């Protein structure tokens, strides 16, 4: 009776999941098995066309590589920020949390267009580099992968900081004092104590940043431009410009599978690190 009652409680959520996720996914898979854009001739032609073209593999690799670069940038910048938060007094921590969460309250479209102004030839980034004497002429940052990674790093930074701070805030502060008492330097304490214990939060942040940056269609299109082709842009072109829905469905499945593969690997790494810590 208890199990039956539990299933009854879970049934509305299960129906919602089936209707909002599983049904469209099955429809997407079904559409991919048509040879023509009119969806009248069943076949594997679109699968052969997509995976038989070396350009498709390049687009997949570029998309995944964009996510990896964004993850690396957010880790390099986010970890020091998390350490600053950890050492800040409680009142300052509240202010820092508000600053971290505030970008999430803004539309990604607004933040993306703001980066267009900042990355332009007369933007803040170029003017700062010119004033410091680092460059002699403005850099072309728009419609380049460098500019896209810079903007995505800021846009996705809260997704890295929030899980990282959540885990690091629960660490026993006496561990660092004990490490220092045993003669370990700050750097050794960081890499032998803090980093291993905060690994679950770091992995969770990497997972969120990777999944979000590889599917960031607006940022990839507006800042990267049509010259940089990633899977979300390819899907948009094939579905709403060329109107080849079967080919767009194959590209969508390729994006889903490739991203889920990396996400599953990161999830396994997170569970493995949690198991080592609990052990």
């Amino acid at each position: 009776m208890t199990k039956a009652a539990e299933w009854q409680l879970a049934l509305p959520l299960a129906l919602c999941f089936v209707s909002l996720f599983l049904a469209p996914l099955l429809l997407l898979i079904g559409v991919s098995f048509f040879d023509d854009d009119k969806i009248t001739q069943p076949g594997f032609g679109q699968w052969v066309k997509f995976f038989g073209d070396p350009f498709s593999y390049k687009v997949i690799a570029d998309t995944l590589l964009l996510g990896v670069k964004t993850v690396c940038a957010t880790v390099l910048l986010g970890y020091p920020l998390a350490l600053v938060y950890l050492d800040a007094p409680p009142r300052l921590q509240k202010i820092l949390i508000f600053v971290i969460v505030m970008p999430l309250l803004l539309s990604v479209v607004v933040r993306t267009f703001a980066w267009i102004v900042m990355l332009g030839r007369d933007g803040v980034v170029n003017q700062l580099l010119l004033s410091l004497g680092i460059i002699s002429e403005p850099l072309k940052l728009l419609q380049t992968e460098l500019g896209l990674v810079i903007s995505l790093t800021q846009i996705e930074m809260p997704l890295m900081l929030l899980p990282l701070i959540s885990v690091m805030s629960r660490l026993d502060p006496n561990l660092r004092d004990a490490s220092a008492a045993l003669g370990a330097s700050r750097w050794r304490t960081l890499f032998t104590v803090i980093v291993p214990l905060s690994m679950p939060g770091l992995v969770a942040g990497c997972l969120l940043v990777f999944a979000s940056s590889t599917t960031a269609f607006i940022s990839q299109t507006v800042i990267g431009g049509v010259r940089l082709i990633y899977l979300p842009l390819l899907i948009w072109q094939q579905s709403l410009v060329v109107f080849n829905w079967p080919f767009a469905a194959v590209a969508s499945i390729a994006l889903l599978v490739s991203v889920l593969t990396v996400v599953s690997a990161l999830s396994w790494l997170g569970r493995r690190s949690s198991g080592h810590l609990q052990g």
Side-chain angles (χ1 to χ4, degrees):
M1 294 294 294
T2 304
K3 292 184 178 180
E6 292 177 352
W7 275 105
Q8 291 177 358
L9 292 174
L11 185 60
L13 180 61
L15 293 176
C16 182
F17 177 80
V18 170
S19 60
L20 296 180
F21 178 77
L22 188 58
L25 180 60
L26 294 177
L27 180 62
L28 186 70
I29 295 174
V31 170
S32 68
F33 290 103
F34 285 90
D35 289 341
D36 60 328
D37 55 359
K38 303 297 183 182
I39 314 181
T40 57
Q41 300 177 2
F44 298 90
Q46 300 297 337
W47 287 88
V48 174
K49 179 181 177 182
F50 182 84
F51 289 102
D53 189 358
F55 177 73
S56 300
Y57 294 99
K58 181 181 183 302
V59 173
I60 295 175
D62 290 342
T63 303
L64 298 180
L65 188 59
L66 175 65
V68 172
K69 291 179 179 179
T70 306
V71 167
C72 293
T74 53
V75 170
L76 291 176
L77 295 178
Y79 217 100
L81 292 176
L83 292 175
V84 170
Y85 173 88
L86 201 64
D87 293 333
R91 180 174 297 180
L92 183 58
Q93 286 182 348
K94 296 179 180 179
I95 299 176
L96 292 176
I97 283 292
F98 174 76
V99 173
I100 293 171
V101 176
M102 185 172 59
L104 297 177
L105 305 179
L106 298 176
S107 172
V108 66
V109 178
V110 176
R111 285 181 287 170
T112 301
F113 277 96
W115 272 107
I116 292 180
V117 178
M118 296 181 65
L119 295 176
R121 293 183 62 86
D122 297 325
V124 177
V125 176
N126 273 317
Q127 292 300 319
L128 179 61
L129 295 177
L130 287 171
S131 63
L132 294 176
I134 299 177
I135 57 176
S136 58
E137 60 181 10
L139 298 175
K140 182 181 179 182
L141 297 175
L142 292 177
Q143 298 186 357
T144 63
E145 190 175 48
L146 176 60
L148 179 58
V149 171
I150 292 174
S151 62
L152 284 176
T153 299
Q154 186 273 329
I155 293 173
E156 310 297 344
M157 184 62 72
L159 300 182
M160 174 63 70
L161 283 175
L162 291 177
L164 191 59
I165 288 176
S166 176
V167 173
M168 294 178 67
S169 298
R170 296 196 297 266
L171 299 180
D172 190 351
N174 294 325
L175 292 175
R176 290 190 292 176
D177 296 336
S179 178
L182 293 174
S185 63
R186 282 193 167 188
W187 287 105
R188 188 172 183 180
T189 300
L190 174 64
F191 289 108
T192 60
V193 178
I194 299 179
V195 172
L197 292 177
S198 62
M199 189 59 67
L202 182 62
V203 172
C206 292
L207 189 151
L208 293 174
V209 171
F210 180 84
S212 181
S213 59
T214 52
T215 57
F217 169 72
I218 295 177
S219 299
Q220 294 174 7
T221 305
V222 175
I223 296 178
V226 295
R227 194 172 62 86
L228 299 177
I229 304 297
Y230 300 103
L231 275 176
L233 178 59
L234 179 64
I235 295 168
W236 176 80
Q237 289 176 342
Q238 292 295 323
S239 60
L240 298 179
V241 178
V242 185
F243 295 105
N244 190 349
W245 284 90
F247 189 85
V250 176
S252 300
I253 295 171
L255 174 63
L256 179 65
V257 172
S258 58
V259 172
L260 283 181
T261 300
V262 178
V263 167
S264 299
L266 289 174
S267 299
W268 175 82
L269 180 62
R271 292 193 299 269
R272 186 183 178 89
S273 61
S274 299
H276 283 310
L277 291 177
Q278 293 175 359

